[in-house]
Amino acid sequence: MKVDAERLGHEIDELATISAARPPAVTRVVFTEEDLRARAWLKQRCADAGMAVRVDAVGNTFFRWEGSRPDLPAVATGSHIDAIPNAGRFDGVVGVLGGLEAIRSLREGGFQPERSIELIQFTAEEPTRFGVGCVGSRLLAGVLNADADEKLRGGDGETLRAVRTKAGFDGDLATVRLPYGYYAAFVESHIEQGPILEREGIPIGIVTNIVGPSSFFITIDGEGGHAGGVLMPDRHDALCAAAELIVRIEGTARQSGSTDTVATVGICEVHPGAINSIPSRVKLGVDLRDTDGKRRDRVLNEIRNATEEIAQQRQLQTSIQVLNADEPATSSPQVLAAIARSCLEEGLESRRIVARAYHDSSFMVHVAPMAMIFIPCRGGVSHRPDEHATMEHIVAGVKVLARTLAELSSAH
Ligand code: HGY
Ligand code: MN
Ligand code: MN
């Protein structure tokens, strides 16, 4: 299997320059000018590779290599090219450009698929703009429906419909949905975004399951007032309540009974945010995940109870807005076996592994039998400008993906 590492490495570096941030950071928020430029750049690369393109109403983009049996459900691969602020150049991109390279390697090696092979670039895998991740794959899978057009709002209050229409994606959102079985299989390759593969010196991770993500906002309303004039016994300080709650949130995750439970308070907005004014309102953004959906929901409940308890003690008002609470995703044994066979054929060591970031595969599991291929990233670091994967590992992942697509696209 011949992979053109130089071409691929150059493309990863070139795509990284289409960004709102100064290198080495990458910022490419969905439907921004950088995102649209990156989409156009990718379309050109896939056109040069002889692939047909289809774009759906929310901007999910499908590049197709027609097989000899176009009547059969295709096999798909793909990931995302949107990037959170101040991110790295490999998150998502390894699955999109690595997928393109896998298809080119097969084609240039003379392989002819029976089932067509599609490369998908999903819209808005990151939650940056609309508060919830995987908007494109959720809509594909029917986890979100057309009312998301009005329900989802960007940070500036603009609806999904307004933002996507302005970006040139103005079809009917209801047409995005694909039924289960539309694809015969879906395989996504991605950096691990964790330390295990690098620590164990193993080049390929075969993902058995993906954590169930949830995210929610907790708003705490106190009385505020003058930092000098209100004596301590008379205060209802929203930020002190938030501080107590943040530590309680950490505690519920640490004491869940499993290290598979993780909770992060990534957003803390303080109002009015003046040094001499007692905080009257705090908005906490919480990310809670677990490989076990029931345990995750139990911890979510414990957080609700802690919020009410603190509110009562401190005589404050609170409210919780759950943005998403998704089930964990389980990989298909057939697709796992195909990936394992590909690793053996390539003579690459692999291990089964849990995905602790969520991915578009989390929702593609509702459209097709799915699994993921992981490659190591340096120090397990991701969502940072120093995110790094070696070309050796990227090429190994491309070879395993190419072989897996070749096997899955042979109609048997
Ligand atoms: O947050 C995540 O797990 C993904 O990187 N969006
Ligand atoms: Mn990410
Ligand atoms: Mn990603």
Side-chain angles (χ1 to χ4, degrees):
M1 173 80 58
K2 169 119 182 48
V3 170
D4 187 334
E6 200 188 332
R7 169 173 63 185
L8 177 54
H10 175 70
E11 287 170 337
I12 291 172
D13 292 344
E14 192 178 351
L15 179 53
T17 64
I18 307 177
S19 157
R22 274 152 39 94
V26 176
T27 297
R28 209 166 32 240
V29 176
V30 68
F31 296 142
T32 58
E33 184 260 328
E34 300 77 38
D35 178 40
L36 299 180
R37 273 194 298 126
R39 288 165 177 265
W41 176 90
L42 177 64
K43 265 187 178 173
Q44 187 53 57
R45 309 301 302 178
C46 291
D48 294 348
M51 299 172 84
V53 61
R54 171 177 84 86
V55 185
D56 74 13
V58 77
N60 293 315
T61 306
F62 306 79
F63 302 101
R64 185 179 176 95
W65 176 15
E66 195 80 327
S68 57
R69 294 289 309 276
D71 54 310
L72 293 176
V75 169
T77 186
S79 194
H80 63 99
I81 58 171
D82 63 312
I84 71 169
N86 206 39
R89 64 184 61 195
F90 299 96
D91 175 5
V93 168
V94 157
V96 175
L97 295 183
L100 171 59
E101 187 55 34
I103 289 166
R104 286 184 300 209
S105 301
L106 288 170
R107 206 176 180 135
E108 289 159 10
F111 176 78
Q112 170 55 42
E114 289 173 272
R115 293 176 185 279
S116 300
I117 298 177
E118 288 198 358
L119 171 66
I120 308 173
Q121 176 247 314
F122 294 97
T123 281
E125 191 276 348
E126 298 293 3
T128 313
R129 184 145 198 183
F130 296 106
V132 67
C134 299
V135 171
S137 48
R138 284 174 193 270
L139 285 162
L140 267 183
V143 171
L144 275 180
N145 58 36
D147 65 12
D149 242 348
E150 296 307 321
K151 273 190 183 161
L152 288 185
R153 289 180 181 265
D156 45 12
E158 272 194 306
T159 63
L160 171 60
R161 178 197 301 275
V163 176
R164 70 182 178 91
T165 308
K166 241 188 262 173
F169 306 103
D170 54 5
D172 173 4
L173 220 50
T175 61
V176 170
R177 175 83 194 269
L178 297 177
Y180 188 83
Y182 179 87
Y183 289 114
F186 177 77
V187 193
E188 178 175 5
S189 56
H190 204 284
I191 53 171
E192 179 196 341
Q193 297 176 306
I196 295 172
L197 292 176
E198 183 191 54
R199 191 188 303 155
E200 296 183 5
I202 296 176
I204 299 290
I206 305 178
V207 175
T208 53
N209 53 311
I210 308 172
V211 288
S214 67
S215 56
F216 47 98
F217 282 109
I218 301 174
T219 302
I220 303 169
D221 284 307
E223 267 173 27
H226 193 290
V230 182
L231 302 180
M232 296 312 280
D234 305 330
R235 291 189 177 202
H236 304 282
D237 184 324
L239 188 52
C240 291
E244 195 177 330
L245 181 54
I246 290 168
V247 173
R248 287 284 292 275
I249 289 169
E250 183 198 32
T252 56
R254 283 183 185 279
Q255 285 130 38
S256 78
S258 164
T259 52
D260 283 337
T261 315
V262 289
T264 313
V265 179
I267 294 172
C268 179
E269 292 167 2
V270 182
H271 179 81
I275 193 166
N276 59 350
S277 173
I278 303 167
S280 54
R281 164 171 280 201
V282 171
K283 190 173 175 186
L284 299 179
V286 189
D287 178 307
L288 168 67
R289 312 176 186 207
D290 200 319
T291 53
D292 177 326
K294 285 200 178 49
R295 186 171 52 222
R296 196 262 332 269
D297 289 344
R298 175 171 57 77
V299 171
L300 181 47
N301 238 5
E302 286 169 15
I303 292 172
R304 272 186 211 284
N305 297 340
T307 305
E308 281 157 25
E309 197 189 301
I310 292 167
Q312 233 157 26
Q313 281 163 3
R314 291 173 172 267
Q315 293 160 23
L316 296 149
Q317 300 303 316
T318 58
S319 62
I320 294 185
Q321 179 204 3
V322 177
L323 299 175
N324 67 291
D326 302 290
E327 281 308 303
T330 304
S331 300
S332 143
Q334 292 76 11
V335 183
L336 289 173
I339 297 171
R341 274 191 292 276
S342 302
C343 292
L344 284 175
E345 285 159 13
E346 278 298 325
L348 287 166
E349 195 185 353
S350 66
R351 61 156 281 170
R352 293 160 83 89
I353 194 168
V354 172
R356 299 189 183 282
Y358 58 75
H359 299 279
D360 291 305
S361 292
S362 303
F363 302 97
M364 286 305 283
V365 71
H366 302 297
V367 180
M370 118 11 235
M372 292 185 75
I373 298 164
F374 271 0
I375 62 168
C377 52
R378 188 174 54 204
V381 161
S382 181
H383 283 188
R384 277 180 13 194
D386 54 336
E387 176 186 274
H388 184 76
T390 66
M391 272 321 290
E392 183 203 350
H393 286 145
I394 292 171
V395 168
V398 168
K399 289 181 173 177
V400 170
L401 177 62
R403 285 188 181 277
T404 304
L405 293 174
E407 178 183 328
L408 295 171
S409 61
S410 307
H412 42 260

